Structure formats: C-alpha cells, structure tokens
C-alpha cells in the first residue's frame, strides 16, 4: 500500500506526466499536488475537474445506472487529462487527476498505471 505522497511521485514517473493531484470532490480542494507549471495550475484544475466529476455522477444517478466511473478522459490539442475516482473505502469522495503531454504519453499505458496506483493507494 502506497501513501499519498508515494502515489503522487509514482504517477509523475509516467512518461509525459506534467502534473498530478489528489482531490476531494466534495470540497474541490487538492489534498496533494505534484508537478504543474505556470500554464497548469493544479489547484485551479482540481477545482474545475471537481465540477466534471460531480456532473458525471449526477448524470449516472439520473439515468439510474448501476455503475460507477472508472475514469474520465479529456483530450486537448497538446495534453491528455485523466480523472480517476478513488474506489477504496479510505478514498471515498476523492479522485486522482493526471495531466500528460500528448506528444510523449502512451494513453493506454498511462491509464493502466493510474489504475494500478489507485488500487495500491492507502489514504
């Protein structure tokens, strides 16, 4: 089991990673961030992506789907943004946010690594 800091460091090792955050989607607050840049403020991204997660959860509920979000992919011209809710009991109400440079990232591998880290993470 990896703690939050170890998990964030591991995610930053993914090829093309430019920033990662662990976010509380009830408050929109980033509990931990690593990376980022002047062009990618992870605190702002955390708050904005909270709205994305909430909207999708509401939609799933309104459609009465008996399913949960595995991950959400936002594709930009130069970046991939991955959002993955934490499914363990200790991570309820949290999600991992990972931003990748599209030119350097292998999306399938990044999704696999994000899933593995989320599974191993202990909050």
């Amino acid at each position: 089991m990896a703690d939050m800091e170890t998990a964030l460091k591991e995610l930053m090792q993914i090829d093309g990673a430019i920033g990662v955050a662990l976010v509380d989607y009830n408050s929109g607050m980033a509990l931990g961030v690593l990376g980022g840049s002047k062009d990618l403020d992870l605190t702002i991204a955390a708050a904005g992506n909270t709205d994305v997660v909430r909207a999708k959860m509401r939609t799933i509920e309104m459609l009465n789907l008996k399913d949960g979000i595995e991950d959400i992919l936002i594709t930009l011209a130069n970046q991939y943004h991955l959002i993955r809710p934490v499914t363990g009991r200790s991570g309820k109400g949290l999600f991992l946010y990972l931003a990748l440079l599209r030119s350097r990232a292998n999306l399938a591998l990044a999704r696999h690594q994000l899933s593995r880290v989320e599974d191993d993470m202990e909050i």
Side-chain angles (χ1 to χ4, degrees), residues 13-60:
Q13 298 303 310
I14 295 172
D15 196 26
I18 54 177
V20 63
L22 179 66
V23 184
D24 177 345
Y25 66 74
N26 294 307
S27 67
M29 299 279 297
L31 304 178
V33 297
L34 204 55
S37 68
K38 64 178 176 66
D39 296 324
L40 180 62
D41 184 324
L42 291 170
T43 305
I44 292 172
N49 284 310
T50 295
D51 293 335
V52 172
V53 172
R54 287 179 189 160
K56 192 59 192 173
M57 289 185 157
R58 275 194 312 274
T59 302
I60 289 170

Side-chain angles (χ1 to χ4, degrees), residues 6-117:
T6 302
L8 296 179
K9 285 180 182 176
E10 191 171 340
L11 290 171
M12 282 301 294
Q13 298 303 310
I14 295 172
D15 196 26
I18 54 177
V20 63
L22 179 66
V23 184
D24 177 345
Y25 66 74
N26 294 307
S27 67
M29 299 279 297
L31 304 178
V33 297
L34 204 55
S37 68
K38 64 178 176 66
D39 296 324
L40 180 62
D41 184 324
L42 291 170
T43 305
I44 292 172
N49 284 310
T50 295
D51 293 335
V52 172
V53 172
R54 287 179 189 160
K56 192 59 192 173
M57 289 185 157
R58 275 194 312 274
T59 302
I60 289 170
E61 186 178 320
M62 289 187 301
L63 292 171
N64 202 27
L65 298 176
K66 303 298 181 223
D67 213 344
I69 299 169
E70 185 174 325
D71 59 32
I72 298 169
L73 168 64
I74 300 168
T75 305
L76 305 176
N78 297 309
Q79 297 175 359
Y80 293 125
H81 292 216
L82 285 166
I83 300 167
R84 184 172 185 90
V86 178
T87 56
R89 279 187 36 217
S90 64
K92 189 152 177 65
L94 304 178
F95 67 88
L96 286 165
Y97 166 68
L98 173 64
L100 302 158
L101 284 175
R102 192 170 173 162
S103 62
R104 291 190 42 219
N106 176 322
L107 184 57
L109 187 55
R111 288 184 68 226
H112 175 73
Q113 290 172 305
L114 181 60
S115 172
R116 186 184 47 73
V117 169

